Structures are given as structure tokens and as C-alpha cells.
Amino acid sequence: MTEQEQRDLVVKEAYSWIGTPYRHQAMLKGVGVDCALILLAVFREAGLIKDIEIPDYHVQWHLHRGEEKYIKLISQYLKPTTDPKPGDVGLFRFGRLVSHSVIVVDYPLVIHSAAESGVILDNANDGSFRDRLYGFYTFWGK
């Protein structure tokens, strides 16, 4: 399978999650998912990764810590990129640390799970995203 076919699978799978409610530490399409576990679900269903065991985490973990755990975990599977393409991941700072992720559709269009709205297609240049971008990560070319 080509890289473009893999990227297309990731985006297609991400779209299939739209409308799933936000549920902390959940990962069941149509029932609930949070912004971290949607990445795991989408990349797993696209056949790019196997299950990854994620330890329990408090809903506000990013407000009371100093260690960039999100980046540490992501960096095991993805590498930084400055040229986001469909299927790549965007990371954003909310609170003290990187604590939110999105799947790039066609930047700035992204799919993500938000507490207020569940999984949606959104513009990452608007609203609460503005000035919070940490960077982009890619699965490909690692």
C-alpha cells in the first residue's frame, strides 16, 4: 500500500468518527472517545499500528504536571514535520502542556474530539486553537 493510500485510509477512518460524543478515556465509535484515544483508534483501524496500552489519566492531567507525557508517547510512533499533510497529527497546548491532538484533513481543516462537541470537522486556525499550536507529527518517513 502506498503512503497516499495509507493517508487516505486515516482520513476516511477519522471522518467515520464524526458525531461520536466526547467521553474521557473511551474509545468506541458512536459511543464515546477523547482527543487522545481517537488517534489510537483511527491509526489502529487504518492498520498502521497495533493496540497501545494507555495508563489511566485524570481529565485535567495537563493542568497539574510539568512533564510532556503526550509528546513522549506520540514521539514513539510519529516524527515531527513542518509540512502537515492529510493523515498527520497536530498537537496543541491547553493548560501548561501539550494536551490536545487533531488529525489533519487538509490543514487547517482537522478532525478532533472536543469535550463540548464530540468528534467534529473543525478549522484549526479559529477559536480556541488560535495561538496554541505546538507542532505537527507524521507517521510516514520515520
Side-chain angles (χ1 to χ4, degrees), residues 30-96:
V31 176
V33 69
D34 67 21
C35 69
L37 294 181
I38 191 171
L39 295 182
L40 174 57
V42 166
F43 279 83
R44 184 190 65 208
E45 293 304 311
L48 299 175
I49 62 172
K50 297 181 190 252
D51 276 328
I52 301 167
E53 190 169 324
I54 306 292
D56 286 342
Y57 51 95
H58 187 274
V59 71
Q60 293 182 335
W61 66 269
H62 59 287
L63 299 177
H64 310 290
R65 302 271 187 255
E67 181 185 359
E68 289 283 8
K69 291 184 178 188
Y70 212 127
I71 295 169
K72 186 176 180 181
L73 182 62
I74 290 282
S75 295
Q76 293 176 51
Y77 304 94
L78 307 172
K79 70 173 188 164
T81 184
T82 56
D83 180 27
K85 294 184 172 96
D88 287 341
V89 171
L91 297 181
F92 294 82
R93 285 188 189 275
F94 286 86
R96 297 174 58 194

